[in-house]
Amino acid sequence: DYKGQKLAEQIFQGIILVSAVIGFIYGYITEQFGWTVYIVMAGFALSCLLTLPPWPMYRRNPLKWLPVQESGTEEKKAADRKPKRHSKT
């Protein structure tokens, strides 16, 4: 559902943004770029864990599909058609 996709995208971007800011600040204070990378990677892993599986919170508004049509009527229509012949000019 579209609302669930929007929620998952917002959660994903929020976690990535917060982890990037925290990682940058912590890496700047400790003067080690490695910590920045580790914190951003941990935020990415957390966001993937929260957004990739089909959790029930993302499936609250299911889409309504059209009803199934009978396939017999389509086969009859296809059989009634005559193939077009191309003339040589």
Side-chain angles (χ1 to χ4, degrees):
D1 84 67
Y2 295 113
K3 290 182 182 179
Q5 289 177 1
K6 182 178 179 182
L7 176 63
E9 182 71 21
Q10 289 173 342
I11 290 172
F12 183 79
Q13 289 180 355
I15 291 173
I16 293 293
L17 180 66
V18 168
S19 68
V21 169
I22 290 171
F24 178 77
I25 292 171
Y26 188 75
Y28 185 77
I29 290 171
T30 60
E31 296 180 0
Q32 293 205 2
F33 183 70
W35 280 106
T36 301
V37 173
Y38 293 144
I39 292 172
V40 171
M41 287 175 29
F44 178 75
L46 177 65
S47 65
C48 286
L49 180 68
L50 291 177
T51 58
L52 290 180
W55 298 107
M57 65 182 174
Y58 302 128
R59 296 183 286 152
R60 291 184 180 164
N61 304 304
L63 297 175
K64 294 181 182 177
W65 296 89
L66 294 174
V68 177
Q69 296 179 355
E70 295 181 22
S71 62
T73 58
E74 292 176 10
E75 291 174 6
K76 289 179 185 177
K77 288 180 183 178
D80 291 341
R81 294 184 197 143
K82 293 183 181 179
K84 294 182 180 179
R85 297 185 184 212
H86 299 286
S87 62
K88 294 182 181 179
T89 56

